[in-house]
Amino acid sequence: MKYSMTAAAMMLVVAGFHSQAEELGWTSSAELGAITTSGNTEGTSITGRLNSLQRLERFDNEYLFSAFFKEDKRRLADGSSERERTAERFSASVKSAFKLETEHDTLFALARHTDDKFGAYRKYSTLAVGYGTRLLDLADHSLNVEIGPGYSRGRTSLGETESGFLARAGAIYRWQISENAKFRQDLTVEYGDDNTRTSAETSLTARINGRMQMKAAFTVQNDTDVPVDKKRTDTQTSLTLVYSF
């Protein structure tokens, strides 16, 4: 319950600053989803994300923060019960893209860090640079791609540290289905000697009113090299409210 109240308070604070953000040249969105179950199965899960994009004359700067929590109520042998945290993940990234003379062509630099208390990798950081362009540019459809070298460093659930250079490729496909609905597919592959990480998100967003949207999303993350007691693939299905400002 306390996580739900905290997340709701964050949404209210964010909404109060939308006019100031517009004056500073920012476009941002905040999304929140929560599920609480009771009865034979009791638990709470919360997912949230803050995404801000600053468009300048020669640069586009993007900042992303996301979090996911899950708590289950576990019944003990003596008949009592206690809450147990079963998922806790934070992720943050910063990306700056320098606009070249050709429209949609950019040179970018990216930094991303993930802290996952129960994942195959407890910590995973990536630094990458590269080139991005748009391969498809239609009225309702677009496809942006990027590629470049990078460096990653991770610590597994066994406490082992892995680091090394990698090749990174990414793609974002957008389809404006109608005035109030849009589809988006994100895909990123980071290929390294120790591990190859593939991340994908498929989402469908429907507008409720001027600033509020409903978003259904399915995310997949796969690591080729994980400890023997961990699975290679993690998935998450979410339904969230998105507020744009």
Side-chain angles (χ1 to χ4, degrees), residues 185-217:
Q185 176 67 62
D186 293 53
L187 175 65
T188 302
V189 179
E190 297 174 351
Y191 176 81
D193 290 334
D194 292 325
N195 181 51
T196 297
R197 170 166 287 195
T198 303
S199 303
E201 180 183 80
T202 305
S203 64
L204 180 64
T205 305
R207 187 174 302 279
I208 300 174
N209 56 36
R211 295 186 179 274
M212 191 70 70
Q213 304 170 77
M214 180 72 74
K215 176 182 174 183

Side-chain angles (χ1 to χ4, degrees), residues 94-114:
V94 179
K95 180 180 178 182
S96 183
F98 176 73
K99 302 175 186 178
L100 301 177
E101 295 300 327
T102 304
E103 188 179 12
H104 302 306
D105 285 4
T106 63
L107 296 176
F108 72 87
L110 168 73
R112 175 181 290 117
H113 176 75
T114 300

Side-chain angles (χ1 to χ4, degrees), residues 74-111:
R74 186 165 63 95
R75 196 163 297 280
L76 304 178
D78 60 2
S80 62
S81 61
E82 66 177 9
R83 285 193 171 274
E84 179 183 23
R85 181 71 59 85
T86 56
E88 182 179 310
R89 182 173 64 250
F90 300 93
S91 181
S93 67
V94 179
K95 180 180 178 182
S96 183
F98 176 73
K99 302 175 186 178
L100 301 177
E101 295 300 327
T102 304
E103 188 179 12
H104 302 306
D105 285 4
T106 63
L107 296 176
F108 72 87
L110 168 73

Side-chain angles (χ1 to χ4, degrees), residues 15 18-19 22 28-30 207-213 242-245:
H18 68 83
S19 59
E22 289 176 346
S28 304
S29 65
R207 187 174 302 279
I208 300 174
N209 56 36
R211 295 186 179 274
M212 191 70 70
Q213 304 170 77
V242 183
Y243 182 82
S244 301
F245 57 99

Side-chain angles (χ1 to χ4, degrees), residues 4 11 27 52 83 85 94 111 118 120 123 125 143 163 173 188 193 203 208 210 212 222 224 232:
S4 300
M11 292 286 284
T27 57
S52 293
R83 285 193 171 274
R85 181 71 59 85
V94 179
F118 298 92
K123 297 181 184 296
S125 300
L143 175 62
S163 61
Y173 169 71
T188 302
D193 290 334
S203 64
I208 300 174
M212 191 70 70
N222 176 271
T224 58
R232 292 183 176 183

